[in-house]
Amino acid sequence: DNSIPRDHTLEGGIGLLSEGYEFAMKRRQEFQSNIFQTRMLGQKAICIGGKEGAELFYNEELFQRGGAIPKRIQKSLFGEKGVQTLDGQAHMHRKKLFMSLMSPERLNEIAGLVQQQWEAAALKWQSTDQLVLFDEAQQVMCRAACQWAGVPLQESDVKQVADDLGDMVESFGAVGMRHRRGRQARRRTEQWIGHLIEQIREGKLEAPEQTAAHAMSWHRDTEGNLLDTQTAAVELINIIRPIVAIGRYVVFSAVALHHYPDARHKLVQSLQTDDHTYSQWFVQEVRRFYPFTPILGAQVRKDFTWNDYSFEEGTMVLLDVYGTTHDEDLWQQPDTFRPERFEHWSGSPFDLIPQGGGDHYRNHRCAGEWLTIDVMRVSLEFLTTRITYDVPEQDLTIDLSRMPAIPESRFIMSHVQVQPSAT
Ligand code: HEM
């Protein structure tokens, strides 16, 4: 038996909160090891990373999620009893429900709705001095998400709902005020969406058949029962909240366009010939390069050994997500933004893991990954071809110790001009 390199800081949880995204990567580099041991929330935790680490983490016979997600995260970001907390058959059954919403037709639809919302927003921007892209993006995504999901949303509520869905995401690496805001937002949103589910079930509200609102209201578990109202609400929020979160990736895309003019130039040129390949690579590189998910957690299901290291039942295991997308063994010059690297990417399910790894149906890998990529591409192309804008002096620093990360100024744009439509 090998002993696992041990991080001697007293409590890794504090290190994680104070160092943020680079916490695990720094230690893996220091120990020159894809595995190390630390403490989280007072218990032993093993942290793994790299392609090998990801492959291990997604072995569902060795790991489970039940019991692995801290209550404070369930009370703010995720909700309780949602798909994230399930294992085995119950997970597969619930996951199929999510994946059924991701058909090519439905993905086309959300991309179209997002496009429309950007066009409408840009017309308004033309008559304002300047705007904060982060706020605008969350509202654009919120309108499109609710429409797509069959959730009625009045224009006067858009800001509040977008703020609430955004605040749940804002809360995940936070203590204090930012965490409390996330809890409040979740309580308010679950009440609203729970009421909506009841109305649909009582026939007082029509949710079109292909929508998430319909699917969550009428889904039956493996025993043939409807989900209880709160769980159905949690799952419907598991659709609209992360679509709003794509706004964060749009802000990162805008930062990349601003900081990497060569990449921007190649993007513009390729889009002029209606070639979307570079656009796709650009989106993949934004997802790889910019920080979003720092780590993921699971629990050892039964004792096993891996590379001579022993894992004991019940031990917490963390996957270094950010570090894996910045791993020098997997990515040449990982700290360089270079969309072209995806020309020769193998397509492995275990190296580009900003939204989790493994299989979308069998594992916990993000149900909305394809949707995210499509919506990001539409948004990126909107920013490059449909409008021109200035980027005034501002602080675009991304503090890697803040989770979730976002540029300090949240991307201010000015002098927006809508381009004449090509058609
Ligand atoms: C799971 C990231 C967008 C729905 C996840 C996981 C990550 C992630 C890291 C966990 C993977 C794991 O536990 O192994 C992201 C990021 C997004 C995003 C960075 C960009 C904004 C979306 C969208 C949707 C979505 C747009 C839905 C429309 C889900 C669901 C799960 C999930 C339902 C739980 C899957 C399961 O437990 O089986 N996401 N996601 N996500 N995501 Fe996303």
Side-chain angles (χ1 to χ4, degrees):
D1 235 36
N2 260 328
S3 65
I4 299 175
R6 194 182 292 246
D7 170 27
H8 284 290
T9 41
L10 279 176
E11 171 49 58
I14 293 169
L16 178 64
L17 272 179
S18 62
E19 291 170 45
Y21 288 91
E22 294 180 306
F23 166 81
M25 185 169 70
K26 275 190 194 153
R27 283 159 182 75
R28 287 200 294 123
Q29 281 165 355
E30 182 190 333
F31 298 128
Q32 304 225 326
S33 164
N34 268 337
I35 177 167
F36 68 90
Q37 187 178 318
T38 182
R39 294 184 70 76
M40 286 283 161
L41 307 169
Q43 42 169 316
K44 169 182 159 179
I46 296 173
C47 187
I48 54 181
K51 204 169 179 166
E52 256 196 334
E55 219 164 327
L56 175 66
F57 187 82
Y58 284 99
N59 182 333
E60 73 273 19
E61 279 169 26
L62 302 179
F63 296 99
Q64 64 182 36
R65 298 302 178 93
I69 305 175
K71 266 284 178 242
R72 57 185 286 111
I73 300 264
Q74 295 187 38
K75 294 268 184 205
S76 53
L77 178 64
F78 285 152
E80 291 167 273
K81 296 197 280 181
V83 61
Q84 295 95 339
T85 66
L86 302 177
D87 289 297
Q89 275 307 318
H91 173 252
M92 292 251 274
H93 183 72
R94 188 79 62 84
K95 192 65 176 285
K96 220 163 96 183
L97 160 69
F98 279 90
M99 298 312 293
S100 74
L101 302 169
M102 305 295 162
S103 66
E105 298 75 31
R106 296 258 50 216
L107 295 185
N108 265 334
E109 235 172 275
I110 183 84
L113 290 170
V114 167
Q115 170 81 35
Q116 277 171 23
Q117 290 298 342
W118 282 125
E119 297 281 345
L123 289 177
K124 285 189 283 172
W125 300 345
Q126 283 196 123
S127 49
T128 61
D129 249 11
Q130 58 174 39
L131 58 105
V132 178
L133 184 61
F134 177 76
D135 299 335
E136 298 292 322
Q138 294 214 134
Q139 290 182 29
V140 159
M141 295 302 159
C142 183
R143 288 193 187 91
C146 287
Q147 201 179 335
W148 184 73
V151 173
L153 177 65
Q154 288 183 352
E155 188 50 35
S156 55
D157 293 336
V158 170
K159 189 176 173 343
Q160 175 75 58
V161 170
D163 282 350
D164 277 348
L165 295 169
D167 280 351
M168 291 181 211
V169 177
E170 274 285 287
S171 74
F172 81 66
V175 291
M177 193 53 206
R178 191 146 56 87
H179 174 73
R180 283 197 298 278
R181 256 209 299 275
R183 282 188 180 229
Q184 237 169 40
R186 168 153 296 281
R187 272 199 299 273
R188 198 158 36 220
T189 311
E190 283 187 10
Q191 206 167 36
W192 167 51
I193 295 292
H195 181 64
L196 183 91
I197 303 269
E198 280 168 1
Q199 285 188 308
I200 292 171
R201 288 178 174 172
E202 288 164 13
K204 292 181 185 151
L205 188 83
E206 187 88 44
E209 194 164 331
Q210 73 285 5
T211 61
H214 184 278
M216 301 314 179
S217 300
W218 300 116
H219 173 74
R220 292 192 180 267
D221 66 17
T222 44
E223 267 127 51
N225 301 315
L226 292 176
L227 299 175
D228 64 76
T229 308
Q230 197 195 1
T231 307
V234 163
E235 299 300 41
L236 185 46
I237 297 168
N238 265 336
I239 292 288
I240 58 176
R241 180 201 66 246
I243 296 179
V244 171
I246 301 173
R248 308 181 81 92
Y249 269 149
V250 176
V251 170
F252 288 136
S253 303
V255 172
L257 288 170
H258 181 61
H259 281 159
Y260 309 108
D262 287 352
R264 183 192 183 109
H265 181 69
K266 283 182 197 157
L267 176 63
V268 169
Q269 280 199 320
S270 66
L271 290 175
Q272 272 164 359
T273 62
D274 208 24
D275 180 352
H276 298 260
T277 318
Y278 196 84
S279 181
Q280 177 81 10
W281 296 344
F282 196 108
V283 164
Q284 296 292 47
E285 183 69 341
V286 168
R287 294 196 314 129
R288 183 195 71 81
F289 186 79
Y290 290 99
F292 205 137
T293 303
I295 54 167
L296 288 167
Q299 228 177 38
V300 176
R301 188 197 283 276
K302 57 178 187 202
D303 292 2
F304 67 90
T305 49
W306 176 74
N307 290 353
D308 283 343
Y309 295 122
S310 26
F311 287 67
E312 282 165 38
E313 184 178 330
T315 306
M316 191 192 304
V317 173
L318 306 171
L319 174 65
D320 179 13
V321 171
Y322 179 79
T324 301
T325 57
H326 290 259
D327 193 314
E328 284 179 351
D329 294 339
L330 302 178
W331 311 99
Q332 243 180 46
Q333 298 178 308
D335 297 324
T336 304
F337 185 89
R338 204 167 57 84
E340 295 85 341
R341 68 173 77 245
F342 284 98
E343 185 173 1
H344 300 296
W345 177 51
S346 70
S348 160
F350 299 111
D351 55 14
L352 183 67
I353 57 165
Q355 296 176 240
D359 181 75
H360 292 97
Y361 289 84
R362 216 183 56 228
N363 300 117
H364 284 273
R365 187 179 192 128
C366 177
E369 188 168 21
W370 307 324
L371 188 155
T372 303
I373 292 170
D374 288 357
V375 165
M376 283 176 71
R377 203 178 45 239
V378 165
S379 304
L380 174 71
E381 294 180 7
F382 164 80
L383 289 175
T384 23
T385 65
R386 295 292 304 128
I387 54 172
T388 59
Y389 53 89
D390 291 340
V391 183
E393 191 67 32
Q394 60 189 285
D395 183 3
L396 286 173
T397 313
I398 298 166
D399 174 4
L400 287 178
S401 74
R402 184 196 198 270
M403 299 180 295
I406 197 73
E408 208 52 50
S409 62
R410 290 165 166 71
F411 208 83
I412 301 166
M413 294 157 68
S414 60
H415 302 123
V416 174
Q417 294 281 313
V418 178
Q419 297 302 104
S421 191
T423 48

